[in-house]
Amino acid sequence: MKCPPAFALPLLVASGLMTFGEATGLGQEAGGQAASPTLLDKAEVRIPYSELKKLWDEAHAAKTPVPPEPLPEGLLLAALFRADLSSGKVGVEAEFKVESFAGKWERIPLMGAGLTVASVEPPDTRLTVVEDNLLFVAPQTGPATIKVKFAETPLPGAGGAPFLRLTTLPSAVGSLELRGLPEGRAVLMGDGSAASGQVQEGVMKLSLPARGGPVTLSLTDAALLPKEEAPPPPPPPLAPSEWALQNEVLVYEGEGELCYRSLINASALNGSAVEAVLLLPANARSVKVTGDDLLDSRPARTASGQTELRLKWKTRDIMERQFTVSYALQQMPMASEWALRAPTLAKEDQVKSLFMFVLSPGVEFAGVGLQGPIPAHKLPRWVIAETKAPEFGTVTAASGVTLQSRVLPRLETAVGVITRSDYVTKLVGDGSVLTTGTVEIEHDEALRWSVALPEKSNLLKCSVDGTPVKPIVRENGVVEVPLPYTGTGSKTVKSQVAFSYTETKDKLHAVEGQTSLELPLTPLFIQEVLWSVEIPDTYQISGVGEGIEHAAPAADGGAGNNGHTVRLVRKLCRNERPQAQLFYQKSGLLQ
């Protein structure tokens, strides 16, 4: 703000005081005469700066007039048209609502020119046409309603020519009412589409666009218009359903549990078939549901300990459903009974179940209606895809059945078999004996081969497959030789054990005598024992006692072809110690 110069302030204040004094009469003396100017020459008035600024702004504002805002032009507020075709001619009337604000003569556009005006209300209404528009000349400020009746025109024939052409101008409210439409005829818009509007008591009411524009209407045969398909009726409200179940239940034994996989065919007896509630056995775990169109499945534990399975589908009114429910129930190993339980309903009489369980080797089942063993190819195909078991037992029931189970005793098989054993025993004159043995053992797992050497014998050496080993010493002269398993799976391997030992017998008699010889004792089954016994060259073997047979001479023509060597054989023995009573005499006595 520009403040007045310092020298001007006293003048301004003095001027104000003089004006104030004149207004109040302080400038006059008591006799009514004016006071002397000299009384105010040294007078002072002090006011705050904010008050001074306010006086300054008011003085300048009074000198700057504010121009008034321009008034809006006249407006067309509503345009309502009515066309009557009942007389065979087209009679059109229009009602316009306008308002003027200027307080002077002005022209307000009503519609496009084209139709011939027949009459107007009020009668003194002034209408004019400017640039193809029909205008109302408003003489004063305020709202006005103008009703215009246009001259009737003939209704076109069946050629499809338009019976009404008009141009509307922008208006917040616009409508067209059609009365007296000929029977069997329909109204077409200018673009060839059927006019759509509300029809009440034979009057069709069309809404006109607020932005205005051309309106062209014609008549056509109503039968030629495409019929609108009625929307389908809304579906009835959802209703609960009663169900019947047929279960195909596969049962197989897991680790401490029985695993169930149930293929369920559910039939809705009534209702909308979108929800079902199944009851699973108590303490069911690892519950899983799969199926087409399934929207939701929620297992929940009830107060009684059962598992309640709530199912919900996407599509209603599908009365036949197929889905799969998998779960597991705890089962103690080698339990004396199997309690088979299938999914069921609150009404158990609506449930039928076929239980199919894998028959494990060595387990025997018993129960009412039990059938089996049944080969897998005679069961439903989906069972074969679930398990490769060859045989099954089956039983039918409602939702559950209990079977007795018994583990059958198993026969122990030999952990190893000696397929061949070769022994060579050499006896010298002072009674010393040296025996060398080679044993081939077939086994399908690691094995500790136990062997009892003859009494008072000493083991010299031992090897397994050519590798020296030190056998484990047990009681009563029994030793154990560890045999490793180098195969895979159930493959049988063969190990070769070679050993030798010494013992002492009585000294050979000078002329003739006998001695008892024996081989090691082993609990394994032996297919064949070949035993070659040699005595000094100065003696001849005259005979062998019972219990052992003579073997055929060696194919290479070696041992067994002279009088001081004999070949013996013992076949198919187990847990036996082969023995021989050997008779001998001095060479030359038999000649």
Side-chain angles (χ1 to χ4, degrees):
M1 181 194 73
K2 286 186 177 182
C3 295
F7 64 86
L9 288 176
L11 294 177
L12 176 62
V13 175
S15 175
L17 292 175
M18 291 177 66
T19 303
F20 177 75
E22 292 174 358
T24 57
L26 295 176
Q28 296 180 355
E29 295 182 354
Q33 296 184 0
S36 174
T38 59
L39 296 177
L40 300 176
D41 288 343
K42 298 181 179 181
E44 292 182 358
V45 176
R46 298 180 182 273
I47 62 174
Y49 175 77
S50 58
E51 294 295 331
L52 176 63
K53 180 178 180 298
K54 183 178 179 181
L55 293 173
W56 180 270
D57 291 341
E58 289 178 354
H60 280 268
K63 298 177 182 180
T64 308
V66 178
E69 295 183 2
L71 298 174
E73 297 180 355
L75 299 177
L76 174 62
L77 303 179
L80 310 176
F81 297 90
R82 290 180 290 274
D84 192 350
L85 284 64
S86 58
S87 63
K89 295 182 178 181
V90 182
V92 180
E93 296 180 357
E95 181 177 328
F96 303 99
K97 296 183 183 297
V98 300
E99 186 166 358
S100 176
F101 306 96
K104 63 180 181 178
W105 292 90
E106 62 177 328
R107 292 177 294 185
I108 301 175
L110 301 179
M111 62 177 290
L115 297 179
T116 302
V117 176
S119 62
V120 60
E121 292 182 6
D124 59 348
T125 302
R126 297 172 179 82
L127 301 179
T128 185
V129 176
V130 177
E131 296 180 357
D132 295 333
N133 285 334
L134 180 65
L135 287 79
F136 166 62
V137 180
Q140 59 186 3
T141 302
T145 300
I146 303 98
K147 296 182 179 180
V148 181
K149 185 176 182 180
F150 300 96
E152 293 183 343
T153 58
L155 186 66
F163 66 86
L164 178 62
R165 296 178 186 269
L166 57 88
T167 301
T168 63
L169 297 181
S171 172
V173 180
S175 65
L176 170 61
E177 292 183 357
L178 298 177
R179 299 175 180 269
L181 292 175
E183 187 175 356
R185 307 283 284 174
V187 180
L188 293 180
M189 304 297 291
D191 58 1
S193 62
S196 59
Q198 297 180 353
V199 180
Q200 295 181 352
E201 299 180 357
V203 179
M204 176 181 286
K205 187 173 183 179
L206 305 176
S207 297
L208 301 179
R211 62 178 177 273
V215 177
T216 303
L217 301 180
S218 60
L219 295 177
T220 185
D221 189 353
L224 300 178
L225 294 178
K227 296 182 179 180
E228 296 183 1
E229 296 185 0
L238 296 177
S241 301
E242 293 182 299
W243 295 87
L245 302 184
Q246 290 189 356
N247 300 319
E248 295 178 357
V249 186
L250 172 64
V251 185
Y252 56 92
E253 196 170 13
E255 295 184 2
E257 62 185 10
L258 289 181
C259 302
Y260 290 76
R261 185 167 178 83
S262 301
L263 179 64
I264 301 176
N265 294 281
S267 301
L269 306 180
N270 49 38
S272 304
V274 293
E275 291 185 354
V277 178
L278 275 60
L279 298 177
L280 299 183
N283 302 321
R285 58 194 183 193
S286 303
V287 179
K288 183 179 180 182
V289 184
T290 58
D292 295 336
D293 198 54
L294 191 64
L295 179 62
D296 189 24
S297 61
R298 296 184 180 180
R301 188 67 56 84
T302 64
S304 60
Q306 280 190 310
T307 300
E308 190 177 73
L309 183 60
R310 293 187 173 272
L311 304 176
K312 190 172 183 179
W313 289 274
K314 302 175 186 177
T315 310
R316 60 178 294 162
D317 299 327
I318 299 179
M319 310 305 284
E320 299 293 331
R321 304 281 188 179
Q322 187 178 77
F323 53 95
T324 301
V325 179
S326 302
Y327 53 93
L329 298 176
Q330 185 176 5
Q331 174 81 351
M332 298 301 294
M334 303 178 66
S336 60
E337 62 181 22
W338 281 24
L340 306 181
R341 298 293 181 264
T344 185
L345 301 170
K347 294 182 178 180
E348 193 174 354
D349 57 350
Q350 298 290 347
V351 180
K352 294 182 180 180
S353 302
L354 169 64
F355 293 95
M356 301 164 285
F357 55 94
V358 176
L359 291 179
S360 301
V363 181
E364 183 181 62
F365 293 91
V368 178
L370 178 63
Q371 295 182 355
I374 296 177
H377 68 271
K378 291 188 177 181
L379 299 180
R381 292 183 178 178
W382 69 270
V383 176
I384 302 176
E386 291 292 329
T387 177
K388 302 303 181 182
E391 293 182 336
F392 296 81
T394 65
V395 63
T396 57
S399 62
V401 64
T402 300
L403 303 177
Q404 286 70 44
S405 64
R406 183 170 68 94
V407 178
L408 300 176
R410 293 176 177 268
L411 293 176
E412 295 294 335
T413 59
V415 296
V417 175
I418 299 176
T419 57
R420 181 180 177 88
S421 58
D422 293 325
Y423 290 94
V424 176
T425 298
K426 295 182 178 181
L427 176 64
V428 297
D430 61 358
S432 297
V433 179
L434 173 63
T435 302
T436 302
T438 302
V439 178
E440 291 183 352
I441 304 175
E442 289 184 351
H443 55 102
D444 52 12
E445 62 183 24
L447 173 66
R448 288 187 175 184
W449 177 51
S450 63
V451 57
L453 299 178
E455 188 177 357
K456 297 181 180 180
S457 60
N458 295 311
L459 184 66
L460 295 180
K461 59 181 179 179
C462 180
S463 65
V464 177
D465 295 330
T467 302
V469 297
K470 294 182 178 181
I472 300 171
V473 179
R474 295 290 186 179
E475 298 178 352
N476 302 323
V478 177
V479 296
E480 287 184 356
V481 180
L483 302 180
Y485 179 74
T486 59
T488 57
S490 59
K491 181 180 178 180
T492 300
V493 299
K494 183 178 292 187
S495 299
Q496 186 179 77
V497 182
F499 60 97
S500 61
Y501 60 91
T502 61
E503 56 182 323
T504 302
K505 297 294 183 178
D506 293 337
K507 183 179 179 180
L508 296 183
H509 197 274
V511 179
E512 61 181 2
Q514 70 177 37
T515 184
S516 296
L517 299 176
E518 57 186 9
L519 294 179
L521 171 66
T522 177
L524 296 184
F525 177 78
I526 304 175
Q527 294 183 356
E528 183 180 63
V529 178
L530 289 177
W531 189 9
S532 178
V533 180
E534 299 179 10
I535 62 175
D537 295 345
T538 57
Y539 291 90
Q540 290 183 336
I541 299 174
S542 58
V544 179
E546 298 179 355
I548 195 166
E549 301 177 1
H550 286 271
D556 58 0
N561 293 328
N562 52 64
H564 58 270
T565 300
V566 62
R567 283 174 55 84
L568 305 174
V569 64
R570 180 76 167 87
K571 295 184 178 181
L572 306 181
C573 59
R574 181 174 186 174
N575 207 22
E576 297 180 12
R577 188 187 295 274
Q579 296 180 345
Q581 293 291 331
L582 190 65
F583 297 92
Y584 61 90
Q585 63 182 16
K586 192 70 172 180
S587 298
L589 297 180
L590 296 179
Q591 296 178 353

